[in-house]
Amino acid sequence: MVARAQVDLGEIEQFLFKEAMYLDRGLYDEWLDLFADDGLYWVPAAPEQEDPYNHVSLYFEDKILRQMRVRRLRHEQAFSLQSPVRASRILGNVLLEGVDDDSGVCRVRSTFHMLELQFGEQQTYGGSYTHELMPVADSYKIKLKRVDLINCDAPLDIMQAFL
Amino acid sequence: MAFNKTPKEFRDLVRPDRVHRDVYLDREVFRDELRRIHGRAWLYVAHESQVPSAGDFMTTAMGVTPVVVVRHKDASIRVLRNRCGHKGAAVVGKRCGSAKSFRCMYHGWTYDTDGSLQAVPQRKAYDGTEIDLNDPAHGMTPAPRVGTYRGFVFASFAAEGPELETFLGPTTTALDNIADRAPDGEVEVVGGPFRLIQRNNWKMVIENLNDLMHPMVVHISSTEAAEQEEAELPEGQKPPPEIPLLTSNGWSYDFWNGLRVVCCEYGHSLMGAINTPPDTDPVFVEYADVLEKRHGPHRTDEILSYPSVMALVYPNISLHTSYQQLRVIHPIDVDRTLLEVWTFRLKGAPEGMYRRCRSYANLVNSPSSIGNADDVEAFMRVHRGLENDTMEWISQHRNVGQDQQTNEGVVAVPGTSELPMRNHFKAWLAYMTEEQGNGR
Ligand code: FES
Ligand SMILES: [Fe+2]
């Protein structure tokens, strides 16, 4: 049994900041490593989307699909990346929403704003992150990273990296 | 109707084996297309399942004209221009919903679900003036023709023209096939679509649908990413279905040359099957059983081996039969196009079957698709490249003179022929030049 009081919020925050930094700096191996083996990366296509199974999603990627995207991001002939994609994000309002009694998995919600360079132009994205973090040894593994974009159902340009 | 260009000027832009770059770049041509093509052709607007009961509505656009698709009291579907007869304000602001009538938010003019003007506040103020509020022009003027084929709703702004089925021609078989794949014989839309912005002329999207010379070149990064991933799977692990869907883009020219592309009247086309159903997938096996219980083995086989995966109904939809999805091509501006991607559930099929459709859509049609990103890049580069003054004509010469006439239409020989592009422009020119132009 894991009590809420035993969860170190500072540690969780540092974990999220580190994850954001890996993505901003394109350190994808390090980023992939943050996930549990069965961890999921999910960006719903509809506001308040209930699940990734009964509706399309902007991203719904397990380990293999995440790795595949990283391989493409690094591919010499990924033509749409010749004008590079760069990102910078800031996250805050980190809130521990709950801790699962049995597994100790923490559900953490945060807010993010993000700038991305694509086609030589700046894009903006924003919304909320929901992380389900499983405690391991001296850190966490991501069971789920859910990204709710405020414009998830609006017309979007192509999106190539991770949010 | 006033047009920017004369028929002669349009004829000067299209040759049997090339087109002038102005067809993609000239904003006057674009405005004329909206009137002559999108203003007359049958356009897909919605699926019946989106407006099941009287009063149910959804908004969309025909060309750039905002419309409301609504189920009227008499159960028929009406397609109304989404603009108020008073000062033109958009009357319906929601994407979808249900209403007994539509009331304009500005001065309160109120319309019935057939578009007729029902009520005007202080109506007496118009007494003795020259306006005739009973003139249908002050309503939310409906599209004069609305037609449904197997639940797919089409509308035309032209009062006259070919019947919907005549227009659809051989592409009816693709619409039939999507519906027939459902054990109950009909599909229903699931949720909202993907909406993807593209920075190019709408015709470039259409041309790419049957451009079989591009996959192995454009998609090399996603193809090889998938190949590498497959190669590094742990011993004995079955590759997920996403992998073959991406690696197939890397197949040889021989494969694409052998694919059957049938080009029909009105600019439509049907493309042969690439990915045969993964019949070992337990979900698919269960589904095939359900279908067989309804139809018997012979008919089931006929349905599941229908030979076209992709149908283009020119000028606004591309239909994927075996993965039940529909892409709607919305022109926004001469250099901007919006693609909507809708997915369908097969009524009466095991729930898992939608998951197949959904994962295909996520992989191939999402704004984040690692395959589609390079298509979008190619379209953008073509559009920008054409702005270069040293290139006036765009070649469509590949395999000219080798087309094969059949009962269904003209078959591209080989599959990588540029016949589909020439076929679009044959229809385009008909729309743009004929008085009653209907794209034939
Ligand atoms: S604009 Fe609609 S009532 Fe005036
Ligand atoms: Fe492509």
Side-chain angles (χ1 to χ4, degrees):
Chain A
M1 169 123 173
V2 186
R4 207 175 261 249
Q6 288 171 279
V7 174
D8 182 342
L9 273 176
E11 200 186 327
I12 285 186
E13 242 181 28
Q14 286 300 309
F15 181 89
L16 297 182
F17 294 162
K18 189 173 64 181
E19 192 224 324
M21 182 271 285
Y22 286 160
L23 287 177
D24 285 350
R25 293 180 57 193
L27 300 173
Y28 294 120
D29 290 328
E30 287 81 350
W31 183 75
L32 290 171
D33 256 0
L34 296 178
F35 280 80
D37 251 7
D38 60 350
L40 295 170
Y41 171 76
W42 177 32
V43 186
E48 326 243 325
Q49 189 175 326
E50 277 177 26
D51 63 59
Y53 304 107
N54 297 297
H55 194 281
V56 292
S57 294
L58 296 172
Y59 298 71
F60 177 46
E61 299 186 350
D62 60 8
K63 187 176 176 184
I64 289 185
L65 294 183
R66 287 192 300 275
Q67 286 174 181
M68 207 146 80
R69 179 177 298 278
V70 169
R71 288 183 197 277
R72 180 185 176 264
L73 285 167
R74 289 177 173 155
H75 197 283
E76 280 279 291
Q77 296 186 73
F79 304 111
S80 59
L81 290 156
Q82 287 178 339
S83 160
V85 169
R86 289 186 212 121
S88 166
R89 77 202 73 199
I90 186 157
L91 68 100
N93 305 357
V94 179
L95 194 71
L96 181 63
E97 285 194 326
V99 183
D100 184 76
D101 278 350
D102 300 321
S103 61
V105 169
C106 304
R107 194 179 160 85
V108 186
R109 191 190 152 94
S110 57
T111 307
F112 77 100
H113 285 187
M114 168 175 167
L115 302 177
E116 196 184 70
L117 184 71
Q118 171 162 283
F119 310 138
E121 287 171 26
Q122 191 164 288
Q123 307 263 345
T124 52
Y125 295 105
S128 70
Y129 289 141
T130 305
H131 285 81
E132 287 179 12
L133 302 175
M134 182 177 66
V136 290
D138 53 354
S139 183
Y140 290 96
K141 286 282 181 195
I142 301 173
K143 294 282 282 181
L144 171 73
K145 177 180 179 180
R146 171 179 175 148
V147 185
D148 282 282
L149 285 177
I150 55 163
N151 60 341
C152 66
D153 58 348
L156 291 162
D157 265 297
I158 58 170
M159 300 188 290
Q160 306 195 68
F162 301 93
L163 295 164
Chain B
M1 238 191 278
F3 296 109
N4 293 313
K5 291 202 187 299
T6 63
K8 157 127 190 15
E9 286 173 300
F10 285 119
R11 272 191 288 273
D12 287 343
L13 295 176
V14 179
R15 306 270 165 82
D17 54 9
R18 76 199 97 154
V19 292
H20 192 275
R21 64 175 183 154
D22 282 358
V23 303
Y24 304 105
L25 297 185
D26 185 337
R27 189 163 265 113
E28 287 192 356
V29 171
F30 179 74
R31 304 303 307 181
D32 279 349
E33 286 177 332
L34 292 175
R35 282 173 279 199
R36 288 185 171 268
I37 302 178
H38 300 85
R40 295 195 284 203
W42 283 103
L43 301 177
Y44 171 83
V45 289
H47 188 265
E48 275 194 324
S49 60
Q50 292 171 285
V51 289
S53 317
D56 290 349
F57 67 84
M58 61 165 277
T59 55
T60 181
M62 291 171 63
V64 298
T65 306
V67 295
V68 187
V69 181
V70 57
R71 181 82 67 168
H72 188 50
K73 296 175 190 71
D74 64 1
S76 67
I77 292 176
R78 307 296 174 99
V79 179
L80 317 176
R81 284 179 175 78
N82 189 7
R83 61 110 190 85
C84 179
H86 180 216
K87 279 178 181 283
V91 177
V92 181
K94 289 186 180 172
R95 259 188 195 150
C96 58
S98 191
K100 288 210 159 53
S101 57
F102 299 121
R103 184 167 188 264
C104 178
M105 53 80 74
Y106 204 0
H107 312 96
W109 287 28
T110 302
Y111 303 87
D112 198 353
T113 47
D114 63 2
S116 58
L117 182 59
Q118 255 179 351
V120 173
Q122 301 219 59
R123 194 176 183 119
K124 279 196 168 16
Y126 289 100
D127 287 355
T129 71
E130 302 222 324
I131 196 170
D132 174 10
L133 291 178
N134 295 319
D135 180 343
H138 296 298
M140 292 170 70
T141 327
R145 291 188 301 156
V146 179
T148 300
Y149 190 86
R150 295 300 294 266
F152 296 85
V153 186
F154 294 78
S156 163
F157 280 139
E160 278 164 44
E163 294 295 314
L164 177 59
E165 277 191 45
T166 311
F167 168 81
L168 291 171
T171 65
T172 50
T173 61
L175 292 162
D176 282 332
N177 186 249
I178 280 206
D180 288 343
R181 279 170 187 266
D184 291 352
E186 42 180 46
V187 292
E188 59 183 349
V189 167
V190 178
F194 288 132
R195 296 185 164 91
L196 174 64
I197 303 166
Q198 305 187 344
R199 297 146 186 247
N200 51 265
N201 187 269
W202 63 278
K203 296 188 291 300
M204 293 170 188
V205 185
I206 294 204
E207 286 168 32
N208 188 63
L209 295 169
N210 289 313
D211 182 329
L212 305 187
M213 282 299 284
H214 89 280
M216 64 301 281
V217 183
V218 160
H219 296 300
I220 186 162
S221 62
S222 52
T223 305
E224 292 192 351
E227 284 167 0
Q228 289 161 13
E229 203 50 47
E230 183 168 20
E232 294 193 13
L233 281 176
E235 274 276 309
Q237 190 175 330
K238 216 177 131 234
E242 284 85 357
I243 286 186
L245 290 176
L246 291 174
T247 53
S248 60
N249 274 327
W251 290 350
S252 70
Y253 289 109
D254 280 352
F255 168 77
W256 302 97
N257 280 336
L259 215 59
R260 188 177 161 88
V261 181
V262 185
C263 295
C264 323
E265 290 188 316
Y266 302 105
H268 312 328
S269 59
L270 294 165
M271 190 177 92
I274 302 176
N275 299 293
T276 46
D279 42 27
T280 54
D281 175 354
V283 174
F284 196 82
V285 171
E286 185 194 347
Y287 155 73
D289 270 359
V290 174
L291 208 55
E292 205 170 301
K293 286 206 181 84
R294 300 278 178 112
H295 297 305
H298 177 72
R299 177 74 184 125
T300 299
D301 186 54
E302 210 172 64
I303 293 169
L304 296 181
S305 58
Y306 171 74
S308 291
V309 279
M310 209 122 75
L312 162 69
V313 182
Y314 189 86
N316 92 324
I317 56 166
S318 158
L319 198 71
H320 200 303
T321 53
S322 55
Y323 286 102
Q324 300 95 47
Q325 39 216 287
L326 178 76
R327 291 181 282 190
V328 188
I329 300 131
H330 290 285
I332 303 293
D333 201 343
V334 67
D335 58 358
R336 203 154 279 250
T337 304
L338 175 70
L339 206 69
E340 278 182 2
V341 184
W342 297 89
T343 55
F344 295 89
R345 177 182 286 118
L346 300 172
K347 282 194 176 177
E351 192 42 48
M353 278 303 283
Y354 176 68
R355 299 189 178 184
R356 244 176 121 253
C357 155
R358 176 263 302 160
S359 70
Y360 180 91
N362 289 355
L363 183 78
V364 173
N365 283 324
S366 161
S368 78
S369 161
I370 65 171
N372 200 22
D374 288 311
D375 288 313
V376 172
E377 173 78 14
F379 307 157
M380 186 170 68
R381 289 195 194 193
V382 170
H383 198 108
R384 286 195 185 156
L386 290 180
E387 279 160 3
N388 185 317
D389 276 336
T390 55
M391 195 172 135
E392 270 192 85
W393 292 90
I394 294 107
S395 161
Q396 297 177 341
H397 293 85
R398 201 166 56 240
N399 303 105
V400 160
Q402 287 171 245
D403 316 336
Q404 182 196 333
Q405 191 73 47
T406 70
N407 291 340
E408 277 177 297
V410 190
V411 175
V413 181
T416 54
S417 163
E418 276 169 334
L419 168 66
M421 294 71 170
R422 298 190 290 271
N423 191 55
H424 303 151
F425 276 100
K426 188 172 158 232
W428 187 89
L429 198 58
Y431 278 117
M432 301 306 278
T433 55
E434 290 163 17
E435 221 23 72
Q436 290 298 323
N438 60 24
R440 234 175 126 118

